[in-house]
């Protein structure tokens, strides 16, 4: 599904040959293959991200109701799969929002389509996150900067010390 999504998304901006090349490069590019084969949630999240971007572009700055609804559906299922979809979509969405303001297209139909799409996404993904809110906020507290997880040694109190930073850089090397 991701490969076809890359092709159709690229086809909105490029020729058919270039779109086909983009999907082939996506297929064989190592950074996309590694996480896709490690967990199935990464496979689903990449597919939902690509199709969400496709319908965001197809919505024509939220002028098309059908594509705005499809954007909301894929965004909702993407957030239901992994919450990081919001991070991947935030840049293109902010650009679309900037275009709406720049071109003065904020009309009633645009706001209506925007609200419908986010309402659909919220209704699809809300319940799961509401049920697991304790674990989700606990996760954010555990991995926040300065928590015990960031310390290289148990007796080390500063995660930004020279030893901790060289430990992290050595880990990434």
């Amino acid at each position: 599904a991701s490969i076809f999504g890359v092709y159709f998304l690229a086809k909105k901006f490029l020729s058919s040959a270039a779109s086909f090349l983009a999907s082939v490069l996506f297929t064989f590019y190592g950074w996309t293959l590694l996480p896709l084969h490690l967990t199935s949630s990464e496979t689903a999240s990449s597919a939902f991200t690509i199709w969400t971007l496709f319908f965001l572009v197809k919505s024509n700055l939220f002028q098309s109701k059908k594509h705005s609804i499809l954007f909301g559906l894929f965004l909702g299922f993407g957030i239901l799969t992994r919450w990081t979809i919001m991070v991947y979509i935030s840049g293109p969405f902010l650009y679309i929002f900037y275009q709406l303001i720049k071109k003065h297209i904020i009309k009633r139909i645009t706001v209506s389509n925007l609200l419908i799409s986010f309402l659909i996404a919220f209704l699809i993904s809300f319940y799961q996150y509401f049920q697991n809110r304790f674990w989700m906020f606990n996760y954010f507290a555990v991995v926040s900067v300065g928590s015990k997880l960031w310390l290289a040694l148990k007796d080390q109190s500063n995660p930004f010390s020279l030893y901790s930073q060289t430990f992290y850089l050595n880990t990434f090397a």
Side-chain angles (χ1 to χ4, degrees):
S2 299
I3 298 166
F4 293 116
V6 168
Y7 174 76
F8 289 122
L9 181 61
K11 197 166 174 153
K12 294 294 293 173
F13 303 104
L14 306 169
S15 67
S16 293
S19 301
F20 178 73
L21 182 63
S23 63
V24 168
L25 287 175
F26 176 80
T27 304
F28 295 109
Y29 188 62
W31 281 107
T32 58
L33 286 176
L34 179 68
L36 289 178
H37 294 297
L38 291 178
T39 61
S40 59
S41 67
E42 289 292 333
T43 304
S45 65
S46 70
F48 282 123
T49 301
I50 291 167
W51 285 104
T52 302
L53 288 174
F54 174 73
F55 288 116
L56 179 64
V57 171
K58 278 290 262 195
S59 72
N60 192 21
L61 299 175
F62 292 98
Q63 300 298 310
S64 168
K65 187 172 190 168
K66 178 177 99 172
H67 293 107
S68 297
I69 289 172
L70 288 170
F71 165 75
L73 282 171
F74 278 93
L75 180 63
F77 286 123
I79 294 171
L80 189 61
T81 305
R82 291 197 70 183
W83 66 269
T84 55
I85 299 294
M86 294 184 292
V87 176
Y88 303 142
I89 300 298
S90 63
F93 178 75
L94 288 175
Y95 178 75
I96 294 292
F97 191 71
Y98 168 74
Q99 290 295 320
L100 286 170
I101 293 171
K102 181 181 170 187
K103 295 180 179 180
H104 304 290
I105 305 179
I106 300 180
K107 301 177 199 168
R108 185 172 181 229
I109 189 73
T110 307
V111 173
S112 171
N113 289 341
L114 184 68
L115 289 175
I116 287 171
S117 63
F118 279 105
L119 180 66
I120 290 170
F122 178 78
L123 289 174
I124 290 172
S125 61
F126 171 73
Y127 183 72
Q128 182 68 22
Y129 288 103
F130 180 74
Q131 286 292 95
N132 297 311
R133 65 189 178 278
F134 171 76
W135 301 109
M136 188 172 70
F137 290 118
N138 187 34
Y139 169 78
F140 288 130
V142 168
V143 298
S144 64
V145 175
S147 67
K148 292 181 182 178
L149 187 69
W150 281 74
L151 300 178
L153 295 173
K154 292 187 189 254
D155 58 341
Q156 187 83 15
S157 61
N158 183 7
F160 299 106
S161 69
L162 183 61
Y163 177 79
S164 294
Q165 295 304 313
T166 55
F167 175 80
Y168 301 138
L169 291 174
N170 193 23
T171 303
F172 290 124

